Amino acid sequence: MISELEICILDFTVIDMGTKFRDIRVALFLLLILSPAVLSLPNDGLVRIGLKKKKLDQINRLVDQTDSKDGEVMKAPVRKYHLRGNLRDSEIDIVALKNYMDAQYFGEIGIGTPSQTFTVIFDTGSSNLWVPSSKCYFSVACYFHSKYKASQSNTYKKNGTSAAIQYGTGAISGFFSQDNVKVGDLVVKNQDFIEATKEASITFLAAKFDGILGLGFQEISVGNAIPVWYKMVSQGLVKEPIFSFWLNRNVEGEEGGELVFGGVDPDHYKGEHTFVPVTQKGYWQFDMGDVLVNGETTGYCSAGCKAIADSGTSLLAGPMTVITQINHAIGASGVVSQECKSLVEQYGKTILEMLIAETQPQKICSQMGLCTFDGTRGVSMGIESVVDKSIGKSSDGVHDAMCTACEMAVVWMQNQLRRNQTADQILNYVNQLCDRLPSPNGESSVDCSSLSSMPNVSFTIGGKVFDLAPEQYVLKVGEGIAAQCISGFTALDVAPPRGPLWILGDIFMGRYHTVFNYGDLTVGFAEAA
């Protein structure tokens, strides 16, 4: 347990007016004091959101997160935001961001005339802008954050349409209003945003941000509101339909990072970007190739997986099958899964025999009666993911955790068979992986003194391998003997056809400068400077 680390693991599953799940979010926040500021460079056309670093004091663990509908504990990582840049073109806007312990990245915006200042997260995993309203009377969280006062703005226009965003760990609700929004040096006119009149979560009470500014596509915008970024482009405020993130992961650095609207700052990266096409609008989603540990395949994404570049997630989330393998390789300690252990004891040898007999791996668990075969793979009908909800699937109520354990074991055993391991070696290895399953809250601890012996973890994107070294994928809190470390990898299972899905959060975006090209519908990665 990381007693001094306050980790809020959120499932930001957004519901539009309670009728449709719009957004799958994973978020981990280190709740610390931020003092956001905007660094605007006059006449350079850039909007910069700067991040600053602070020493970590003490953080306390938040309450368990529970999905309000199912009562299930939701597992997820956290989101944050970093950026930086030195562009000199006349039509580029740069917003300076502040970085708190590599876990939260914030910047300032203004709403109204005269401008009212708010600290927001710039989130590529959602698409709405919301801030607390002066009409928020009954939520304690509103009393600890800046509130928008419509009566004090000369450019305010009434809308009044009700709006709600539901998360796995809480919710905000309120109504739409319209006003001018200042981002860096740019003023976006007639922007629809949500005045939050209710923030029903301890997460928002403890958070150091006032609201969220979404940079995703309109397809996932609650109320189908036009995102701020869209209006920047349509109103001709930026030179190019591109924005880019530079996140400073140097804890000693003054600047936390920069978000550049309208282009990229060459000082923020080295070499060339590798660009991949957006495969599904909503999130910035693209196809990703194999995941490697110490240069060896994990055997799960060799045929390809889907991924999202998400500035709102602090950690890096992926399928539990692979995350467990990674945590085993780096010595991360999770919680023993009795279902996993029991599965290996009862069915391990049978699974091995079926694999050796060249039974189709996708059918093994269903042939053993542990899963239901859906035509492509075995599935547990009792496990309903947030994506299932978003596309209208429903569960038949037959829940069997053995199905999930079986599917993981098949992947693990198949990978070991390729390496010519003996049956005993394979079963012993799978039992070890059972010990490395992530804890209920999604995080796993690692030994800070073992960083030098941990392997690189790599991701294949656009045919290029992007490495993460231990110092880059481990989040370290504190100094000396009091230092505590957590694995930057957390489990999130999204069922087909929307999954398997990876969420490349700030741990990845901090290592690789990320470009979001709205014109070409591509995402690009290059080594961060």
Side-chain angles (χ1 to χ4, degrees):
M1 265 333 202
I2 305 171
S3 60
E4 294 184 0
L5 187 63
E6 182 179 75
I7 300 176
C8 177
I9 300 177
L10 306 178
D11 183 345
F12 274 3
T13 304
V14 177
I15 303 174
D16 182 358
M17 295 304 295
T19 62
K20 190 171 184 180
F21 285 80
R22 290 285 194 169
D23 188 15
I24 301 166
R25 294 317 310 277
V26 178
L28 161 68
F29 292 106
L30 298 184
L31 303 174
L32 303 168
I33 298 173
L34 283 180
S35 52
V38 173
L39 171 62
S40 297
L41 301 182
N43 303 319
D44 69 353
L46 300 183
V47 176
R48 301 175 182 264
I49 301 182
L51 306 177
K52 291 188 178 179
K53 310 262 183 180
K54 295 187 179 182
K55 296 283 185 179
L56 178 66
D57 298 319
Q58 183 178 8
I59 343 176
N60 303 315
R61 182 174 303 282
L62 287 184
V63 296
D64 290 342
Q65 291 74 43
T66 302
D67 182 302
S68 59
K69 177 180 178 181
D70 299 325
E72 297 174 355
V73 174
M74 305 301 290
K75 305 173 181 67
V78 177
R79 344 198 311 151
K80 26 176 209 186
Y81 311 64
H82 316 35
L83 312 166
R84 161 194 170 187
N86 293 309
L87 295 182
R88 289 295 179 271
D89 293 332
S90 60
E91 294 178 308
I92 296 180
D93 196 40
I94 298 179
V95 182
L97 302 179
K98 288 181 180 287
N99 172 9
Y100 200 94
M101 297 304 296
D102 286 346
Q104 294 183 345
Y105 291 81
F106 304 95
E108 287 185 353
I109 64 169
I111 302 179
T113 308
S115 183
Q116 301 172 38
T117 302
F118 299 92
T119 299
V120 297
I121 289 175
F122 290 84
D123 180 12
T124 59
S126 66
S127 301
N128 291 89
L129 168 61
W130 68 264
V131 295
S133 171
S134 61
K135 296 179 176 64
C136 181
Y137 303 120
F138 303 109
S139 293
V140 177
C142 290
Y143 290 93
F144 290 87
H145 295 95
S146 299
K147 295 180 287 293
Y148 171 76
K149 302 176 180 63
S151 61
Q152 296 183 8
S153 173
N154 299 326
T155 46
Y156 161 75
K157 293 179 182 178
K158 183 178 180 179
N159 180 312
T161 304
S162 61
I165 302 179
Q166 175 73 52
Y167 303 110
T169 57
I172 67 102
S173 60
F175 56 90
F176 279 102
S177 290
Q178 188 179 98
D179 210 331
N180 293 349
V181 175
K182 184 177 181 181
V183 183
D185 288 333
L186 305 182
V187 177
V188 180
K189 296 182 179 179
N190 303 319
Q191 175 63 47
D192 290 323
F193 66 99
I194 298 172
E195 288 192 50
T197 57
K198 184 178 181 181
E199 298 183 24
S201 174
I202 190 174
T203 300
F204 299 122
L205 173 63
K208 304 306 176 185
F209 60 88
D210 299 318
I212 292 176
L213 191 155
L215 293 170
F217 291 92
Q218 190 174 0
E219 279 76 358
I220 59 171
S221 175
V222 170
N224 200 35
I226 300 174
V228 173
W229 166 244
Y230 280 45
K231 290 212 168 184
M232 280 189 186
V233 175
S234 65
Q235 292 177 13
L237 300 178
V238 291
K239 181 179 181 181
E240 298 179 88
I242 295 171
F243 61 89
S244 54
F245 276 88
W246 173 75
L247 306 183
N248 186 1
R249 303 295 281 186
N250 174 12
V251 295
E252 300 301 327
E254 270 302 310
E255 295 176 283
E258 282 184 348
L259 168 56
V260 177
F261 289 107
V264 298
D265 187 335
D267 290 344
H268 289 165
Y269 64 93
K270 304 173 185 177
E272 301 294 328
H273 287 86
T274 297
F275 284 92
V276 288
V278 172
T279 55
Q280 182 168 335
K281 290 170 68 177
Y283 312 106
W284 288 85
Q285 181 174 318
F286 54 91
D287 288 335
M288 187 180 77
D290 207 359
V291 179
L292 312 173
V293 177
N294 223 12
E296 296 187 358
T297 180
T298 53
Y300 194 84
C301 289
S302 54
C305 280
K306 302 165 187 176
I308 292 169
D310 186 359
S311 63
T313 298
S314 302
L315 303 186
L316 201 157
M320 183 177 290
T321 303
V322 187
I323 297 301
T324 301
Q325 294 181 70
I326 293 173
N327 280 341
H328 173 265
I330 69 177
S333 300
V335 174
V336 177
S337 167
Q338 295 303 320
E339 291 86 358
C340 184
K341 290 277 192 178
S342 178
L343 181 283
V344 176
E345 181 179 354
Q346 295 181 49
Y347 303 103
K349 290 184 179 180
T350 303
I351 295 173
L352 267 178
E353 290 170 359
M354 295 177 76
L355 283 171
I356 293 172
E358 298 185 351
T359 302
Q360 293 185 39
Q362 299 91 336
K363 294 184 177 181
I364 287 178
C365 296
S366 57
Q367 288 183 9
M368 294 172 63
L370 299 176
C371 296
T372 299
F373 190 67
D374 70 354
T376 58
R377 65 192 287 270
V379 296
S380 171
M381 296 306 294
I383 300 177
E384 184 183 41
S385 74
V386 287
V387 175
D388 292 332
K389 296 174 185 176
S390 72
I391 60 178
K393 285 188 178 180
S394 62
S395 168
D396 65 0
V398 181
H399 176 75
D400 190 351
M402 282 290 194
C403 175
T404 302
C406 179
E407 289 194 324
M408 291 192 293
V410 168
V411 173
W412 297 337
M413 291 182 183
Q414 186 181 27
N415 202 36
Q416 292 300 298
L417 278 173
R418 295 193 186 104
R419 300 175 185 178
N420 298 317
Q421 299 292 303
T422 67
D424 286 343
Q425 288 174 323
I426 292 174
L427 293 174
N428 181 58
Y429 173 73
V430 173
N431 268 305
Q432 291 179 42
L433 291 187
C434 288
D435 289 333
R436 300 298 184 182
L437 287 170
S439 67
N441 283 337
E443 81 282 357
S444 298
S445 62
V446 296
D447 183 356
C448 293
S449 65
S450 300
L451 290 180
S452 61
S453 61
M454 292 180 189
N456 283 354
V457 178
S458 309
F459 300 84
T460 308
I461 302 172
K464 181 177 179 180
V465 176
F466 291 81
D467 295 320
L468 289 178
E471 297 78 13
Q472 294 155 352
Y473 63 68
V474 170
L475 190 61
K476 188 175 181 180
V477 180
E479 300 293 337
I481 60 174
Q484 300 182 54
C485 295
I486 63 170
S487 166
F489 302 102
T490 188
L492 176 72
D493 283 314
V494 177
R498 294 291 300 274
L501 185 70
W502 287 80
I503 298 180
L504 306 186
D506 297 333
I507 279 185
F508 189 86
M509 290 178 62
R511 174 73 175 88
Y512 295 102
H513 177 261
T514 307
V515 177
F516 297 84
N517 191 320
Y518 177 70
D520 293 342
L521 291 180
T522 57
V523 183
F525 303 97
E527 182 180 357

